[in-house]
Amino acid sequence: MNTPLNIQHGHLNFQPRIIGKEKACFRLMKLFPQFVFDIAKLEGSPYTFPEVQTLLEGITIGGKRLEDQQLILNQRDSLQQLLRLVKKDKFMITKDIFCQLHELVAYEEALGKFRDGSVSIAGTDYSPPESMQLDHIFEEMVNYLQTIQNPLESAMLFFLMGSLAQFFFDGNKRTSRLMMNGILLNSGIDAISIPAKKKLAFNKKMLAFYNTRNANDLLKFLCSIAGYRVKKYKNNYMLN
């Protein structure tokens, strides 16, 4: 089967650590403020970690722009909804769930549905697919991911494919990472948060991915964040 969007990638030849859905959700809840902070920081939020904690406790921060506050609240609401879906066994890789989460992720930024126009990505010459192709591409993605036996690999590939396709006018990486974590949690695997301190490295690797469609460097990067040390071995990645 051809890879959707002509993405090139190797395969993980090790199994991720399975801790169970309930424990994975509990561990995410324990780190909830950190996850929200990391997501917002990748989007350029000026909020410090203590300020994020304070806002999540329901106390507004004086002197901050409303849109910056809304970004934090959107990430809170979307992450909480993801946890509800997973805990109730209602999380699935469907367009409806994808759009439902996006509506919360990008509330007051985008429309909560697949775009009907063109978009571009700053810093790269890559042109995302035309809007009339998006439904077909999403179906291709779902079918392809069903052939991937490793849930960690499947989750990470959803994030990369969603970011490359740019299904929405805004909030694509945020929503695709949320879906990635839904796949992980649903499989009993710890969610992945890209630390704020890794923002520069992450952005550079994303731009390289857009330009080349080679996902190997990003897969290795995401694995390292998740605590897996990997090395290349032919067309696979293995524990180091």
Side-chain angles (χ1 to χ4, degrees), residues 101-121:
L101 291 174
H102 176 262
E103 189 169 10
L104 295 171
V105 166
Y107 177 68
E108 294 192 348
E109 294 178 55
L111 302 174
K113 62 181 181 180
F114 282 8
R115 59 181 167 84
D116 56 5
S118 300
V119 293
S120 60
I121 301 174

Side-chain angles (χ1 to χ4, degrees), residues 77-121:
D77 295 345
S78 58
L79 201 51
Q80 286 177 339
Q81 176 61 6
L82 176 67
L83 283 163
R84 280 192 290 267
L85 289 170
V86 172
K87 288 178 178 179
K88 294 180 179 180
D89 296 321
K90 292 184 177 180
F91 176 83
M92 296 175 286
I93 308 176
T94 65
K95 179 181 177 181
D96 284 345
I97 295 294
F98 196 22
C99 290
Q100 178 189 140
L101 291 174
H102 176 262
E103 189 169 10
L104 295 171
V105 166
Y107 177 68
E108 294 192 348
E109 294 178 55
L111 302 174
K113 62 181 181 180
F114 282 8
R115 59 181 167 84
D116 56 5
S118 300
V119 293
S120 60
I121 301 174

Side-chain angles (χ1 to χ4, degrees), residues 28-71:
L28 172 55
M29 282 303 302
K30 292 284 286 184
L31 296 171
F32 195 92
Q34 185 67 53
F35 266 73
V36 173
F37 171 74
D38 286 339
I39 295 167
K41 214 64 180 176
L42 290 178
E43 298 299 316
S45 171
Y47 274 67
T48 64
F49 181 69
E51 288 172 338
V52 167
Q53 287 180 304
T54 301
L55 184 58
L56 293 179
E57 291 168 0
I59 303 171
T60 57
I61 307 298
K64 299 292 187 183
R65 297 186 305 173
L66 290 178
E67 53 262 45
D68 291 330
Q69 174 179 293
Q70 192 64 53
L71 174 67

Side-chain angles (χ1 to χ4, degrees), residues 144-168:
Y144 181 75
L145 293 177
Q146 288 175 347
T147 71
I148 305 294
Q149 298 298 313
N150 191 314
L152 175 63
E153 183 179 328
S154 177
M156 294 189 298
L157 285 174
F158 186 100
F159 164 55
L160 299 184
M161 291 176 182
S163 300
L164 193 65
Q166 295 281 298
F167 288 98
F168 309 104

